[in-house]
Every structure is written in structure tokens, then in C-alpha cells.
Amino acid sequence: MATWHATMIAPDDDFGGAPLLRGEFRLDEGHGDVASATLSLSALGVVEAWVNGARASEDLLTPGWTSYEWRVRYSELDVTGLVGATTVIGLALGNGWYRGRLGWAGGSRYYGDELGGFAELRVRFADGHEQVVGTDASWTAGPSATTANDLYDGQDLDARRFGDAWLEAGFADASWVGVHEHAFDLAKLEPYVGPPVHRQERVSPVRVWTSPAGRVLADFGQNLVGFVRVEVPAGAGAAGDVVTLRHAEVLEHDELGVRPLRTAKATDRFTLSGGADVFEPTLTFHGFRYVEVEGWPGGIEALLAGGGLEAVVVSSDLRRIGRWSSSNPLLNRLHENAVQGMRGNFLDVPTDCPQRDERLGWTGDIAAFASSAAFLADVDGFLRDWLRDLAQEQAHADDLVPFVVPDVLKYIEHPAEFPAPDSTAVWSDAAVWVPWALWTAYGDRRVLEDQFPSMAGHVRRVRSKLSANGVWDTGFQFGDWLDPDAAPDQPWAAKADPSVVATICAFRSASLTAEAADELGLAAEAAEFWAMADELRAAFAAVYVDAGVIRSDCTTVYALAIVFGILSDADRAVAGDRLAELVAASGHRISTGFAGTPFVTDALTETGHLDDAYRLLLQTECPSWLYPVTMGATTIWERWDSMLPDGTINPGEMTSFNHYALGAVVDWMHRTVGGLAPLEPGYRRILVAPQPGGGLEWVDTSLDTPHGRASVRWRVEGDELAVDVVVPDGAEAVLRLPGTAEEVVGAGEHERRVPAPARIAAGVAAR
């Protein structure tokens, strides 16, 4: 634990929720040149820092959102090149998650009423001398150009208040006031485990036009997360003129479709100075593709002639490691939609959605998507950081893993349809499924070591919830949330019996926790959880299975039971055939919700129904993965029909156009269609087993594993299947190709040609 010399300070005047803090000091003399200077930075709220007038970093929304009751992150910034004989440190604060609106109830200030800023500068000199300065009672506070800021509602900036004088040495202004020490325990400060939030790219509008109602609209061509950077040339508008931007993901009736935002205003206002103005509302973010522009100087003609709008995409700074492409453009767009949805929602916390009055770290969404995420990007640090909060919330709630992490819902009265929270299948299972996905993807045992107490605590709590007959049929369950056959206003009303879903998930979590205990050498715990898994399997068979038919007899229960391995071999065979019958009876349209969707194609594949899995994947009629693609989607939707075929928005209150969870099918696309999967954690042993189908002519899959780049490219050439494989140094691959014996190969490039199964060659020829 660090020993701090600085304190958390708060301004004596709040200055509208966006105060500036300022400190000035001189370097100690007689110690030679500065060898290094490190700025430790944090806040209660969000903070941006300057040193001698220069940005200390490109990080945004520092220190992000954690379970502030127990941990607040700090960043460490190298500012060696910025310090001088006299050094001024400036901090700009905003409400952020700490004091801004959170959740759909309209409340704010759940964590505290007072913003705080923390900065400690540690300077090392050539002779080894160290000087430490930071936030203390000598600092001052003043107003910024931000007159309002909220993550949900937006930011107001007044360019007449822009200026850098406060960052200059000797600055004094009568409007500035003192500061006081914040009642904050510095022992809660922790370094970042995951990456900071950064700007990722700029996107120009693809179209600007006037709507039927006379409103100026801009389309950025991609549903994205961030803000719009506005540049107004000198003389274009008068001082005091206001440009207003409203954001939304879709259009409805050719106007901005704002109903899905619910109470989030998603509106930025920029007051002009009369000179050349540049606005970047970095204390907020929006989920949007479309922007309504009001008050642009000179109207739409000036906007079309001079530009001035750029969307700035922001996200946690995740390195892309996995890629997939194919001969099917619709599948390529689906995969890209999953990538874009993850990028937009992996903004410091893995949220459900980035646009409405929610944006919470729902545990069920990441439980479903963690394996997909771990392939698409290096999310190890990002999710391990989040898991620290999950463990903290759990430890302070008798091992209850909450619905959302950080758990702001514990401060909000729950609606009647959601009784008092308790352990819930899939959602609470994130305590087990997410660390297991990270271990499988990256092979770093530390995630199991760090999270095992959380994993075990969750499974033991679930065990306490089992009925006398051994199944989990007590308490509230989300179940197969958003089953497409449920009414729009009843997302919980799934075909799958929630107790069946819960018991299967309990079996999976007990089994994975037992495997983790085996890996960690915890013999007693391994025996405990293997025994629990065996008991759950026996109880499930006795209560819910009759000659292979599972209670509620729907796609989700069969998919989960098959993939999680809870069935006997005989029941599994019957279940596989029944699953295929149900999928065919639905016209190969999706009939699963959050619980079943990530696993239905695997269940079909594992039981010999690969063609049904491909037909399900390639379906374009609603509900299906490709229906949104045919409707122009550029991210994954929350509902299969978030937009109806007539172009109107789903009437349900809960409708998002950027929800990554249902995109979890990309995990199957990587492993089964692409043929690249781990045989051992971290891909030290790789399984190369592509299973072509669906008329695809070629698929190219690659992954930057911990050992280097691995790739599989296959293509159908006449009656042959050509497969090119790259195995990185330090790894080996098992080739399991159609019609040939299994083969083990080492690092390097490998080419194989095998006879293409007749159904594959015929399928390609038919296209």
C-alpha cells in the first residue's frame, strides 16, 4: 500500500459541478537535472490534469467507476518532460459516476455529495534527491468553462469562459476560492489493473440533411460511443449564440429516435465566444449514430460547406487480438457488429448499453460474452479490474453476487417485478464464468488465485439456496431473459423453466470451480465442488429429465444441458435430436434469450446437427442474428427485434441498439466455423478443427495468443478443403480435419489439403 503525502481536496465552492483546482510550487534547488517526475492522479468524480499548461495524459474519465465504497483507482503519469523550475498543476473535475445520475430512477449522488481531486507529484533528481508535492490546503479552486455535466444528460460548455491563464505561474483571480481536505480514506486508493479510457478514432458524418420536421440531422454511419467535437470558425456566430446537439442511435419516422433513451437527455450545449471555438465535451459520453443540430451559425448550408462536426469514439484502450472474416458479407458485418458493440460498452466498466439511463455493469451480459470478448481483444486487465469490484461487492453482501457491478442498485428501490436481490443464475455466475474465460484465453493462473474465494463463495451460497430435492428452484431468476417469444413488456416470460436454467447453471459453476481448485492444488475444495456437481447432476436427472426430455421442452434448456454436460450419454443423444427438432420447427429462427443464445449453436454441433447450426446462423428473417444486419445494424441489438420490419422501434420500454450479449455467437464462429480453439489454457496447445458449412467458400481466423500469432485459413476448392495453419513459437496444434487422422504439429506454417465432405462441396457449388 502506498504512503501518500498529498490529500484528497474539495473546493470551497462547487462551481456548478465542474471546478478547477490549482497548485503551484518550485523545484528544490541544488540537486541537478530532473531524472523523473511521476504524477499520481485520482478523484471523487472524474478528473483531467495539466502540468505547466500541457495535458498530463490523453486519459479520459479518470479514475473511472469502481465500487467507491472500498476502492478508488489512481493513474500514474510520466510528466518528466513537463515540470520546470516553477510548476503549476491544474485539475479539472466533473461529476462522472461518483456524483452524476446512475440508473433509471433518476437519482444521483449515491456515493457522495462532494467532488474531490487528488494529485501527488514525485520528482527524482540526478543526485537521487526526491521531492514530493501534491494536493493540500494551499491549493485554490475556481470556475471552468463547463456549466453543467452529466454522463446521461450531457455537458454544457461556454467558450466565453475558455482560457489557460489559470495554468500559468503567478495566476490570481478574485473569483477563485480556497479548498479543504476531503473526508476520504486514502487507503482506498488502488492502481489501475486495466487500461484507461482513450479517444480511439474520429468519424466524420456521412450525410447531413434536413428532416421532414425541419430539423438538421447528421449521420455518422456507425452506432458508436463518445461525443461530437465541434469546431466553429471565427466570426461564424455571435458571442452568446448556442449550438445544441441531441444524440440518438436510430431514426424513427425520419426523425431522431429518442424514446429508447428514456430519461437520458443525451444533449450537449455549446455557447460561442464569437471567435474560433473548439468544443470537446469530455466529461460525458453518448451512444449514438445520429445527431440533431440546433443553432448552427448560418444553418445547414454553412454546416455542409464548412464541416465542423466530428464524432470522437472513446473506449477503454483495449488491444485488438482476434479477427475473423469469411466469404459471406452478412456474417462479416455480424462479426464487426459484435466488435463495435463490445468497444462501445467496454468503457471502463463492461456495461449493458451506452445510451439510455442505465449503462450499468450487468453481470449477466458479461457472463454470456466473456469468452467472445477474450478472443476479440486483450481484456485480461480490463475484466480482472472489474472482477475486483465484483469480489468486493460480494464480500460485503454475504457472498451475494449482485445484478450489476459496481452495485449502485443497492441504493435504489427495486421495482415490484424484481424482488429483493439474491443469487441469480447466469448473472451471479459471472463470478465463476468470467475468471474461467480469462484463464482459458490467457493461461494466467493469477486470475484463478485472485478470484477463487469469490468463485467458491458464490457456489456455496447457491448450494444454500437448493431445495430439499437438490435443485435450484427458489428465489427470483431472470431465466432466459428476452426470449423472443415473450411479450415486449415481459422480458422475463421465457419458455424455459427458470428453475431448470438455474440448476444447469449451478452445475456448471460448481464444475468450473472444482476444476479451478484442481488447477490451484486445493484438494479439499476440489472434492467439495465435484461432489456438489455430482449431486446437482443426479437431482437434475431425477426432477427435470424424463427419457431425455427436459422440463419445459424448449431450445434453451436443451442447449444449456448439452453444452454444460449435465446429462447422461443416453439422455444427451435424445436431447440433441430434440433440440434439432425444435430448431427446425421454429423455421431455424432464434428461439432463445440471454441464457440459451451463447450455447445453442455449440449444442447443435456437439450432437451432430451442424447443418442446423449453420441454418440458424444464416437465417435473415426475424428473430435471427442476421435480421438486424439486413436492417442496417452496425452494433448488436438488445432485442432480436429492437427495430421492427416497418422501421419503427420496438414498443418495449427497454430497447437498446447497442447491447453486446446476443453477439456471443461469435465465440462459436471463431472455434467451430473458423476452427481455432484452445486445447489448453493460453493456447499452448491449439485445436485446429474447422467445420465448414453454410455454403461458405472460405474463412480466415487469427488470434494473437500469449505465444504469438496463430491463424487458420480454410477454403473450398472444388472437391478439396485447403487449410493453412500458423502455429506460434512455444505452442503446438492438433489438426482435426475432415476425413483424416488427427495430427500434432509444432510451431511454423502448415498446409493441408483433404477431401471436402460432399455436403460442403455441394453447398458451395449451390451458391
Side-chain angles (χ1 to χ4, degrees), residues 156-242:
D156 294 357
L157 285 162
D158 189 339
R160 296 171 298 182
R161 297 166 62 168
F162 285 169
D164 296 330
W166 68 289
L167 297 171
E168 297 174 0
F171 168 80
D173 189 297
S175 67
W176 281 57
V177 300
V179 301
H180 57 273
E181 185 173 341
H182 196 291
F184 172 75
D185 182 2
L186 295 178
K188 295 179 181 179
L189 290 176
E190 292 187 7
Y192 270 77
V193 176
V197 174
H198 279 174
R199 297 169 177 83
Q200 302 297 321
E201 64 174 316
R202 291 184 180 183
V203 180
S204 297
V206 297
R207 181 185 176 210
V208 177
W209 74 103
T210 301
S211 75
R215 298 182 175 94
V216 176
L217 301 178
D219 175 8
F220 289 92
Q222 168 67 51
N223 196 14
L224 55 87
V225 176
F227 54 82
V228 174
R229 180 181 188 272
V230 168
E231 187 168 352
V232 179
D241 286 353
V242 178

Side-chain angles (χ1 to χ4, degrees), residues 371-519:
S371 294
S372 302
F375 187 99
L376 295 174
D378 181 357
V379 297
D380 189 34
F382 176 82
L383 289 178
R384 284 197 296 115
D385 201 319
W386 179 80
L387 284 168
R388 292 177 69 85
D389 289 313
L390 183 149
Q392 286 284 2
E393 299 283 1
Q394 180 185 3
H396 289 85
D398 193 25
D399 273 327
L400 166 62
V401 178
F403 298 161
V404 300
V405 173
D407 184 20
V408 70
L409 295 185
K410 62 180 176 282
Y411 301 120
I412 301 173
E413 184 177 352
H414 284 257
E417 62 266 28
F418 295 137
D422 207 335
S423 296
T424 306
V426 182
W427 277 253
S428 298
D429 288 316
V432 176
W433 298 6
V434 174
W436 189 258
L438 297 180
W439 159 241
T440 301
Y442 307 123
D444 186 343
R445 292 176 79 251
R446 290 178 299 173
V447 70
L448 298 184
E449 294 166 352
D450 292 344
Q451 296 303 130
F452 188 80
S454 167
M455 299 168 75
H458 163 62
V459 174
R460 287 172 178 144
R461 184 180 174 93
V462 169
R463 183 171 57 200
S464 75
K465 304 297 176 183
L466 303 180
S467 294
N469 60 2
V471 300
W472 190 5
D473 59 1
T474 62
F476 169 77
Q477 297 288 347
F478 286 102
D480 196 28
W481 186 255
L482 284 172
D483 180 325
D485 294 322
D489 59 348
Q490 293 182 313
W492 59 86
K495 299 182 292 295
D497 185 319
S499 299
V500 175
V501 171
T503 303
I504 303 172
C505 291
F507 170 81
R508 186 193 195 207
S509 286
S511 301
L512 293 182
T513 304
E515 287 193 53
D518 281 336
E519 176 63 31

Side-chain angles (χ1 to χ4, degrees), residues 544-569:
Y544 293 136
V545 183
D546 182 6
V549 177
I550 301 173
R551 181 183 294 181
S552 61
D553 191 34
C554 64
T555 48
T556 286
V557 296
Y558 290 112
L560 296 177
I562 291 166
V563 174
F564 294 174
I566 200 171
L567 299 173
S568 68
D569 289 345

Side-chain angles (χ1 to χ4, degrees), residues 21 26 31 120 210 392 487 515 525 531 648 653 655:
L21 304 177
R26 289 191 60 81
H31 299 288
E120 182 171 288
T210 301
Q392 286 284 2
E515 287 193 53
E525 289 84 351
T648 60
E653 178 187 358
T655 300

Side-chain angles (χ1 to χ4, degrees), residues 676-751:
L676 180 57
L679 268 180
E680 291 184 6
Y683 291 83
R684 193 189 71 79
R685 297 186 73 229
I686 301 167
L687 176 62
V688 176
Q691 299 191 53
L696 294 178
E697 299 170 12
W698 60 267
V699 171
D700 195 353
T701 310
S702 66
L703 176 68
D704 294 336
T705 76
H707 307 282
R709 174 70 58 88
S711 66
V712 178
R713 177 179 173 83
W714 63 258
R715 59 199 179 278
V716 178
E717 297 180 349
D719 58 0
E720 286 190 321
L721 178 66
V723 183
D724 299 330
V725 180
V726 176
V727 181
D729 291 340
E732 67 176 24
V734 174
L735 307 187
R736 194 175 295 163
L737 305 179
T740 64
E742 193 170 279
E743 178 186 4
V744 178
V745 298
E749 298 181 4
H750 308 276
E751 299 180 8

